[in-house]
Amino acid sequence: MTQMSIELITAMAAIAISIISIIIALCAIIKYNRVYRLYDGFMRGRDAESLEGLILEENERIEKLEQADLNNKEVMRSMNRNIRSSYQKMGIVHYDAFEGMGGKISFALALLDYTNSGLIINCMHGANGCFLYIKDVDAGTTGIQLGAEEKHALEKALGYVKE
């Protein structure tokens, strides 16, 4: 091999490396342009909205949802207080107050709240009229003597008696 052929081979190798370098550079430029278009579209947002605007809108929406959540929790606490103070336990006993005079239309009704406080209503029907008695219940007990029917109604409301 002569000096000329070595120079020719070296020149051709340099040209080949240059062509390969140009092709790689063109591929890199094409990929860069594609990534830049995607980035630019992302930063501009939909319909020329900015990404910052979208983030601010979402932040406002989240703040409104958090406020609504706090309001809902307060409403639920209030409803829970109301439910606890409402009558939620009941026991009723039907009986014949005046043997053979009116049938089983007399009744004792116990109404209790969450704390087992409330009242017992005793309605006694007879030939001469109707008599209604109300007794207070506090924490499942009364300070007044209960009749058998009233006691049974209270035990039903407390869940001691199942029928």
Side-chain angles (χ1 to χ4, degrees):
M1 255 203 234
T2 66
Q3 183 70 19
M4 181 91 140
S5 64
I6 292 175
E7 288 175 3
L8 184 63
I9 292 173
T10 306
M12 290 180 74
I15 291 172
I17 290 173
S18 296
I19 291 173
I20 291 172
S21 296
I22 291 172
I23 291 172
I24 290 173
L26 287 174
C27 288
I29 291 170
I30 291 170
K31 284 186 179 185
Y32 169 78
N33 284 335
R34 187 172 19 161
V35 169
Y36 180 77
R37 279 194 311 271
L38 290 171
Y39 171 78
D40 190 46
F42 178 72
M43 292 307 284
R44 287 183 202 208
R46 293 175 273 127
D47 301 327
E49 293 178 12
S50 71
L51 183 61
E52 180 184 12
L54 289 174
I55 291 172
L56 291 175
E57 286 175 15
E58 287 301 311
N59 192 32
E60 287 177 19
R61 191 171 143 261
I62 288 170
E63 287 175 0
K64 287 178 184 176
L65 289 172
E66 287 173 345
Q67 184 60 44
D69 182 49
L70 290 174
N71 292 341
N72 288 339
K73 285 179 181 175
E74 182 57 38
V75 167
M76 288 173 51
R77 277 191 284 276
S78 175
M79 289 175 64
N80 192 29
R81 283 190 300 269
N82 290 341
I83 287 171
R84 285 177 176 252
S85 65
S86 65
Y87 294 129
Q88 40 185 287
K89 301 173 189 174
M90 181 192 79
I92 188 165
V93 175
H94 293 276
Y95 66 97
D96 188 0
F98 304 105
E99 299 293 324
M101 298 200 59
K104 286 194 169 191
I105 57 174
S106 298
F107 64 90
L109 173 65
L111 297 171
L112 304 175
D113 64 8
Y114 178 78
T115 63
N116 292 330
S117 298
L119 52 93
I120 297 173
I121 300 171
N122 189 358
C123 184
M124 299 169 60
H125 288 274
N128 295 334
C130 175
F131 303 96
L132 188 65
Y133 302 96
I134 298 176
K135 298 178 182 176
D136 290 325
V137 178
D138 186 28
T141 61
T142 63
I144 302 171
Q145 182 72 25
L146 296 179
E149 295 83 8
E150 294 168 329
K151 186 175 181 182
H152 190 67
L154 180 60
E155 289 172 349
K156 278 179 145 180
L158 292 169
Y160 299 154
V161 177
K162 303 285 183 196
E163 288 191 42

